[in-house]
């Protein structure tokens, strides 16, 4: 019991084959598996979650790696300004300015246990700043693609997310 709602896990989600790639405007692209990610320094924090549909989940304890540390290891180009964070469920993606994404945590544990696949395991993006929208907590994060300009609205997931969750 986490307080999060349970949604169907899309067919394309393959937790066994999961890796995390950091690509795009970087000098050293990364492709990390679970063990690589688990070897990085992790931190724990508590957060309430609120979906725009009106439900909430209080006092979630997340544990994972600061995204800024991941991005730094890939050596971003000096012009890199934004990132598209992509998931394993097809075209699902959100765009972030790099400074804002750097403060988010790539969570691999929830409430002291490995993050269940239904809530985004192996890895869910958990922004730590207030004013974050629910669809920006990206489940099944597979790729962080750095860009030297801002991605278009068409590259992002708000409408897609809401259309799925409504059904
Ligand atoms: N990859 C992916 N992440 C996603 C979504 C999605 O459809 N795909 N839906 C978002 C929305 S709108 C919400 S409210 C939360 C729901 O999280 P939960 O399924 O763990 O309750 O996931 C967010 N992250
Ligand atoms: Mo949502």
């Amino acid at each position: 019991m986490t307080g999060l709602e349970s949604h169907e896990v899309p067919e394309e989600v393959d937790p066994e084959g999961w890796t995390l790639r950091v690509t795009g405007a970087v000098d050293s692209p990364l492709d990390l598996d679970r063990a690589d990610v688990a070897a990085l320094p992790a931190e724990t924090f508590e957060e309430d979650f609120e979906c725009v549909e009106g439900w909430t989940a209080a006092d979630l304890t997340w544990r994972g790696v600061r995204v800024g540390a991941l991005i730094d290891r890939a050596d971003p180009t000096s012009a890199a300004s934004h990132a598209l964070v992509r998931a394993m469920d097809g075209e699902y993606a959100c765009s972030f300015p790099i400074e804002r994404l750097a403060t988010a945590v790539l969570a691999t544990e929830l409430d002291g246990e490995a993050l269940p696949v239904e809530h985004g395991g192996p890895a869910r993006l958990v922004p730590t700043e207030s004013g974050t929208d629910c669809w920006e907590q990206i489940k099944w994060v597979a790729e962080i693609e750095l860009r030297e300009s801002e991605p278009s609205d068409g590259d992002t997931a708000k409408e897609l997310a809401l259309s799925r969750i409504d059904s």
Side-chain angles (χ1 to χ4, degrees):
M1 264 302 295
T2 69
L4 287 168
E5 297 218 333
S6 289
H7 300 100
E8 207 174 315
V9 177
E11 239 169 55
E12 315 96 275
V13 171
D14 165 27
E16 302 312 316
W18 180 85
T19 63
L20 174 74
R21 299 181 303 283
V22 185
T23 64
V26 295
D27 288 331
S28 318
L30 303 177
D31 191 357
L32 306 174
D33 64 18
R34 284 173 199 250
D36 297 329
V37 173
L40 298 172
E43 50 192 284
T44 302
F45 69 102
E46 237 179 66
E47 203 178 68
D48 296 337
F49 180 76
E50 185 174 351
C51 172
V52 292
E53 290 202 304
W55 56 272
T56 57
D59 302 326
L60 303 174
T61 302
W62 298 105
R63 183 169 174 78
V65 178
R66 273 284 157 179
V67 176
L70 289 167
I71 291 175
D72 286 348
R73 290 165 67 96
D75 247 330
T77 64
S78 55
S81 60
H82 289 76
L84 261 182
V85 180
R86 299 182 193 280
M88 290 182 111
D89 50 337
E91 66 279 47
Y92 199 98
C94 289
S95 158
F96 298 86
I98 285 181
E99 313 80 66
R100 185 163 164 249
L101 182 62
T103 65
V105 164
L106 186 75
T108 51
E109 287 181 29
L110 172 59
D111 294 340
E113 295 186 16
L115 179 60
V117 174
E118 67 167 333
H119 294 306
R124 172 168 174 148
L125 185 77
V126 184
T128 58
E129 289 179 354
S130 57
T132 301
D133 291 311
C134 62
W135 57 84
E136 295 178 316
Q137 279 217 2
I138 304 177
K139 297 182 276 191
W140 318 295
V141 172
E143 182 176 2
I144 298 172
E145 182 192 324
L146 276 71
R147 297 272 184 106
E148 295 185 344
S149 58
E150 185 172 2
S152 69
D153 282 355
D155 286 329
T156 65
K158 177 175 176 177
E159 284 182 18
L160 178 65
L162 295 182
S163 69
R164 277 200 196 148
I165 299 275
D166 270 334
S167 61

